[in-house]
Amino acid sequence: MIAHGSAFPIAKLALNNSVPPILMASLRMGLVFFILVPFWKFRIPEKKYIKSLIAFSISMGVLVYVFMNLSLYHSSIISPIILGSQLAIPFGILASAIMLGENISSQKWVLIFGAFIGILIIFFDPRLADNFLGLFFACLMALSFGLAQVYSRELRELETSLLNAFVGLFGFFILLIISNFFEGNTLLNIKSINLDSWILISYQAIVVSLGAHLLMFYLYKFYTVGKIFPFYSLFPIFGIILTYLVFSEVPTLLFILGGFIVITSVFFLHKIK
C-alpha cells in the first residue's frame, strides 16, 4: 500500500524536473520490460490468451500510465489525483456489467454512486479551479485501470513475469512513438534527464510497477480479489500523507469529506460479494 501511494508524489517530483510526461511513462515501462526479459524468455502464450493479453497490455501499460502522468502534469496539487484513481474500482464493476454481463446488486449501486458523489464534492474545492484538466485525466486513468482488471480475469493462468513483460513491451514502444509525435526531440529529451530524475523513474518501475504490482498479482494465486483489494483501496491514505510531507499539501474540509466518502465506498465495494 505504501509503494502504491508513493507512486504519485514520486512521479510529480520527476515531472517537476522537466521530464516530459509521456516519455516518462515510456521509460518506466521500458525499465519494467528489460528487467523482466530474463524471466519472460520471449515465451508466447496460447492463442486463446492473445486478444485479452493485448487489450490488457494496452489498457495497463499504455493508457493507465500516460493518463496518470498527464493528470499530475496538468495539476498543481496531487491529493485529488490520488483519490481520483480510486474510481478504478467503480469503473471496473460497471465495465464488468457491460462487457461480461455481471449483475450489480443494489448495495453496490449505492456504493458506486457514493464514490462518484465523493469525487463531485472534491470538485467544489476552490483549489481545483485550475486543476480540472488534471482530474479529468485522473478519471481516464481510473477508467483504463478498471478495464484492465476486467481483461485480467481471463489471464489468471499466465505467469506474472510474462504478463508484466507484455505490459512493459507494449507500454514502452507505443508510448515512445506517441512521445516522439507529441513531445518531439525524443533523444534530446532522454539525454537531458538528470540523475535524480532517473532515480525517480527507476523507483516507479522497480518498486511500484515490479515490486508492488507483481506482489499483488502473486497474491491473487493464493487469495481472492475480495480479500486483497480492500487493503489496496487504502493506499490513498499513505499517498496523501507522503504528499503532505513532500509538498506540504494541507487537505481542505471539502477534500477530507469527499475523500472519506470515496475511500469508504470503495473499501466496502470490495467487501460485498
Side-chain angles (χ1 to χ4, degrees):
M1 290 187 293
I2 296 175
H4 284 295
S6 69
F8 293 87
I10 293 297
K12 184 62 174 178
L13 286 173
L15 292 170
N16 287 348
N17 287 341
S18 300
V19 181
I22 302 176
L23 178 61
M24 186 171 79
S26 173
L27 295 176
R28 173 180 179 172
M29 290 293 93
L31 286 173
V32 169
F33 170 67
F34 288 113
I35 291 172
L36 287 177
V37 164
F39 304 95
W40 171 36
K41 299 177 182 178
F42 299 97
R43 289 168 295 170
I44 304 298
E46 296 178 39
K47 186 178 180 180
K48 63 180 181 179
Y49 296 116
I50 296 298
K51 184 178 178 180
S52 296
L53 181 59
I54 293 174
F56 175 77
S57 298
I58 293 175
S59 298
M60 192 71 188
V62 178
L63 299 179
V64 168
Y65 293 116
V66 74
F67 287 140
M68 171 186 170
N69 286 356
L70 288 174
S71 67
L72 292 169
Y73 180 78
H74 290 285
S75 182
S76 59
I77 51 179
I78 306 171
S79 297
I81 304 301
I82 297 175
L83 278 179
S85 68
Q86 287 287 45
L87 290 180
I89 309 307
F91 277 135
I93 294 173
L94 293 174
S96 296
I98 296 172
M99 299 168 63
L100 304 178
E102 293 186 355
N103 182 51
I104 301 178
S105 67
S106 57
Q107 289 178 309
K108 284 190 175 182
W109 274 117
V110 170
L111 293 171
I112 290 172
F113 183 74
F116 283 103
I117 287 295
I119 291 296
L120 186 61
I121 291 173
I122 295 173
F123 260 106
F124 286 97
D125 190 328
R127 297 184 307 165
L128 281 178
D130 299 319
N131 294 276
F132 287 126
L133 183 58
L135 197 54
F136 170 72
F137 280 123
C139 291
L140 291 180
M141 170 188 61
L143 175 60
S144 302
F145 192 87
L147 289 173
Q149 297 311 303
V150 175
Y151 294 126
S152 69
R153 295 187 183 186
E154 299 180 8
L155 304 172
R156 291 180 179 177
E157 301 301 319
L158 298 182
E159 293 185 12
T160 53
S161 58
L162 183 150
L163 185 62
N164 285 275
F166 269 88
V167 170
L169 176 65
F170 276 77
F172 175 56
F173 285 106
I174 293 177
L175 289 174
L176 195 64
I177 294 170
I178 295 174
S179 174
N180 186 66
F181 185 79
F182 286 101
E183 297 171 336
N185 301 315
T186 302
L187 291 177
L188 181 62
N189 287 331
I190 292 176
K191 291 179 181 179
S192 65
I193 298 176
N194 59 35
L195 179 61
D196 289 342
S197 296
W198 276 115
I199 293 174
L200 294 171
I201 295 171
S202 299
Y203 175 90
Q204 296 175 66
I206 298 171
V207 177
V208 181
S209 293
L210 287 176
H213 286 167
L214 279 176
L215 178 60
M216 186 171 66
F217 285 122
Y218 178 75
L219 289 175
Y220 283 159
K221 296 180 181 294
F222 304 98
Y223 303 98
T224 63
V225 174
K227 289 185 178 180
I228 297 172
F229 254 70
F231 296 98
Y232 173 79
S233 64
L234 298 177
F235 84 80
I237 297 174
F238 295 95
I240 293 169
I241 292 174
L242 187 57
T243 297
Y244 168 75
L245 295 175
V246 176
F247 297 98
S248 301
E249 284 189 16
V250 179
T252 64
L253 288 177
L254 277 177
F255 177 82
I256 293 173
L257 174 61
F260 176 79
I261 294 174
V262 171
I263 294 175
T264 302
S265 298
V266 171
F267 180 84
F268 283 106
L269 267 173
H270 294 306
K271 289 291 188 179
I272 298 176
K273 296 183 179 180

